[in-house]
């Protein structure tokens, strides 16, 4: 007995391949990236962000619920222990639009860095956890990958594996920050 009310997730239950890995990223959905950067810069005491737009034209392989993905999002990244990722959904359908519809904006996922997203996808899905959305090839050399898994029942939010590209593409210009 955990003392938690019925229906709450069981704390600490990660897919076996991710157990023991440190949280490398905290993903937060925001309605407006510029405003989100303003808010989170003030909270975190930093204005150093990397900004990227991801979609079919910048991520060669996208999937959403087992089909080719057509979603687009703009992200801002800062920090490293863990990294904070702000995500503005630009086009759907995606797990971002689903989450916003069901839960609103705010905390969305915890990310775990792995050497190979492809291997992590195989291992996590083999452990019985559904792959929701993925993308690969966004790095400057065609490497880099991410995959989101449905861990809402056990973790209370989504879990992501992240294969950081060896060389990132240059950051886009920081949007004019609104507070």
């Amino acid at each position: 007995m955990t003392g938690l009310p019925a229906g709450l997730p069981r704390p600490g239950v990660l897919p076996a391949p991710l157990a023991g890995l440190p949280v490398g990223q905290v993903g937060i959905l925001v309605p407006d990236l510029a405003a989100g950067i303003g808010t989170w810069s003030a909270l975190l005491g930093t204005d150093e962000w990397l900004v990227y737009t991801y979609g079919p034209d910048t991520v060669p392989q996208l999937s959403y619920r087992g089909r080719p993905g057509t979603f687009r999002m703009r992200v801002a990244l800062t920090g490293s222990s863990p990294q904070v990722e702000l995500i503005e959904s630009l086009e759907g359908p995606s797990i971002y639009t689903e989450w916003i519809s069901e839960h609103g904006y705010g905390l969305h996922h915890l990310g775990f860095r792995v050497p190979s997203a492809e291997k992590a996808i195989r291992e996590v899905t083999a452990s019985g956890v559904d792959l929701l959305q993925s993308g690969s090839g966004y790095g400057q050399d065609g490497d880099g990958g991410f995959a989101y898994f449905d861990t809402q029942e056990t973790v209370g939010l989504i879990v992501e594996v992240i294969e950081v590209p060896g060389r990132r593409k240059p950051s886009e210009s920081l949007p004019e920050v609104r507070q």
Side-chain angles (χ1 to χ4, degrees):
M1 181 73 153
T2 64
L4 294 173
L8 287 181
R10 297 181 317 238
V13 182
L14 283 173
L18 304 180
L21 292 179
V23 173
Q25 182 182 83
V26 176
I28 301 164
L29 294 172
V30 296
D32 177 271
L33 195 64
I37 289 171
T39 299
W40 284 92
S41 289
L43 287 169
L44 300 172
T46 185
D47 60 358
E48 296 181 25
W49 295 85
L50 299 174
V51 177
Y52 301 98
T53 302
Y54 292 143
D57 53 334
T58 57
V59 182
Q61 292 144 5
L62 288 174
S63 76
Y64 167 67
R65 296 200 173 272
R67 298 182 164 209
T70 58
F71 56 90
R72 290 183 63 244
M73 76 277 211
R74 193 155 193 220
V75 304
L77 306 167
T78 193
S80 62
S81 295
Q83 178 181 70
V84 172
E85 177 183 42
L86 305 179
I87 304 166
E88 177 186 6
S89 178
L90 300 174
E91 293 176 19
S94 69
I95 60 168
Y96 315 121
T97 57
E98 287 178 9
W99 188 273
I100 293 164
S101 175
E102 293 176 29
H103 307 281
Y105 295 98
L107 184 60
H108 176 256
H109 70 266
L110 297 178
F112 297 85
R113 291 186 178 94
V114 297
S116 167
E118 186 177 313
K119 180 180 179 197
I121 290 168
R122 283 193 310 270
E123 291 176 349
V124 173
T125 56
S127 75
V129 180
D130 291 335
L131 173 65
L132 299 173
Q133 180 171 292
S134 66
S136 63
Y138 59 88
Q140 194 162 330
D141 300 313
D143 59 344
F146 59 87
Y148 295 94
F149 299 93
D150 187 1
T151 53
Q152 292 181 68
E153 292 288 320
T154 56
V155 180
L157 57 146
I158 291 171
V159 166
E160 178 187 22
V161 296
I162 306 160
E163 176 187 335
V164 177
R167 294 187 310 146
R168 284 197 177 274
K169 293 179 180 174
S171 175
E172 297 169 16
S173 297
L174 196 62
E176 185 175 324
V177 174
R178 296 188 293 276
Q179 296 195 18

